[in-house]
Amino acid sequence: MLIYIARRLGAMIPILLVVSVIIFMFLHLIPGDPARVVAGPEATLQDVENTRIVLGLDRPLPEQYWRFISNAVQGDLGKSFRTQEPVMSMIADRIGATLTLSLASMVWAIVAGMAAGVVAATHRGKWQDQLTMFGAITGISMPSFWLSLMLIELFAVQLGWLPSGGDESFEHYILPAITLGSGVAAVIARFTRSSLLETLGEDYVRTARAKGARERRVIWLHALRNALLPVVTMTGLQFGFLLGGSVVVEAVFSWPGMGRMLIDAVSMRDYPVLQAAM
């Protein structure tokens, strides 16, 4: 097992290097001059040039990349152009909020998705199945920014039941968690339905029914337990999707996490923050 884990971690190194090069090149293709943003709108051309020298942006791109990657492997991700704060500490301050929101989204997505999948599988071809799968397709297709705005409009503005932003209390988690987890819940529902339908046709399920076991016991104890393996595997893969999808959701709900930090870094052309966070 340790050898397998070591091999998998070793295979990540070239992938991360390629990704870091791609990210570095794309960041430098973004329109705008970070030195101009840092120096301010009233700065003269000489001020901007001096700022560029201080930030190291006057050096060739290969040299800039080498300095970034050589420092990164030593745990130094540089300092923010805008605040001069170490990027590592900025990430440490923000990543907890993103992970908490992602975990909350995953919990409700698992509960709602599996429940919907079981209902659809046990009512195959009926209106419950069709309604559940329609909801799953809608959840996958719905843009997160649109769903965020609709939920804020309904539950925060019109009804006044929930706050529209921040992370001060449990109520602040509800709307962003629902928004972020809706797509994952839809995927889990479809996987659960497909896997459970396949399991319900197995011989041991027919045997349990023939022995007189209640249908609820057959489904929840015999069929679903064996149908969960592909669902659990897929759910683990979806957690990465939640982390990546949190950028838009955090921006809409003013969530103080990594996504919001990325949005602010893009607007300020803060290369060190963008490179490290991405």
Side-chain angles (χ1 to χ4, degrees):
M1 177 60 71
L2 292 178
I3 296 177
Y4 174 77
I5 295 175
R7 288 177 178 174
R8 299 296 295 178
L9 292 175
M12 291 175 56
I13 296 176
I15 296 175
L16 290 175
L17 286 175
V18 172
V19 171
S20 68
V21 172
I22 294 174
I23 292 174
F24 181 85
M25 296 307 298
F26 271 115
L27 290 180
H28 284 78
L29 292 176
I30 297 177
D33 186 358
R36 167 60 68 181
V37 175
V38 173
E42 304 298 329
T44 63
L45 292 177
Q46 186 59 46
D47 293 335
V48 173
E49 187 60 31
N50 292 336
T51 302
R52 185 176 290 107
I53 295 173
V54 171
L55 298 177
L57 297 174
D58 60 319
R59 303 175 183 178
L61 290 182
E63 183 179 345
Q64 293 184 44
Y65 173 77
W66 174 251
R67 186 175 65 168
F68 163 72
I69 202 67
S70 59
N71 291 334
V73 296
Q74 301 177 54
D76 181 11
L77 298 177
K79 293 184 178 180
S80 168
F81 285 169
R82 181 168 58 94
T83 65
Q84 290 301 303
E85 182 181 357
V87 176
M88 185 67 79
S89 64
M90 295 177 64
I91 293 177
D93 292 339
R94 301 278 191 136
I95 197 169
T98 296
L99 289 176
T100 304
L101 176 59
S102 299
L103 288 173
S105 304
M106 181 59 75
V107 169
W108 101 259
I110 291 173
V111 174
M114 286 189 176
V118 171
V119 170
T122 54
H123 297 81
R124 184 178 185 181
K126 299 180 180 180
W127 67 267
Q128 295 96 329
D129 183 17
Q130 297 175 359
L131 180 62
T132 303
M133 289 302 98
F134 174 78
I137 295 174
T138 303
I140 295 174
S141 307
M142 192 177 302
S144 58
F145 69 88
W146 184 86
L147 179 59
S148 302
L149 296 176
M150 293 301 101
L151 291 177
I152 290 175
E153 175 65 23
L154 176 61
F155 292 102
V157 178
Q158 299 296 333
L159 299 177
W161 291 352
L162 297 169
S164 60
D167 67 336
E168 289 80 15
S169 65
F170 171 77
E171 287 78 9
H172 289 82
Y173 280 79
I174 297 177
L175 293 184
I178 291 176
T179 303
L180 187 58
S182 61
V184 176
V187 174
I188 292 176
R190 291 171 62 87
F191 264 80
T192 303
R193 177 185 182 274
S194 176
S195 182
L196 185 57
L197 284 175
E198 183 178 349
T199 305
L200 287 173
E202 297 291 339
D203 291 339
Y204 63 85
V205 174
R206 288 193 290 267
T207 301
R209 286 171 173 164
K211 289 182 176 180
R214 294 181 179 181
E215 185 65 18
R216 181 176 299 177
R217 180 180 177 85
V218 171
I219 293 172
W220 292 99
L221 184 60
H222 296 281
L224 183 60
R225 185 173 62 180
N226 292 283
L228 286 181
L229 181 58
V231 177
V232 171
T233 302
M234 181 276 307
T235 301
L237 297 174
Q238 289 295 312
F239 189 74
F241 168 78
L242 289 179
L243 292 176
S246 66
V247 174
V248 175
V249 174
E250 289 185 7
V252 175
F253 287 100
S254 299
W255 194 264
M258 293 280 291
R260 184 63 184 272
M261 184 181 72
L262 275 171
I263 295 294
D264 294 340
V266 169
S267 63
M268 296 299 296
R269 308 297 188 272
D270 201 338
Y271 291 165
V273 175
L274 289 171
Q275 290 169 168
M278 294 175 65

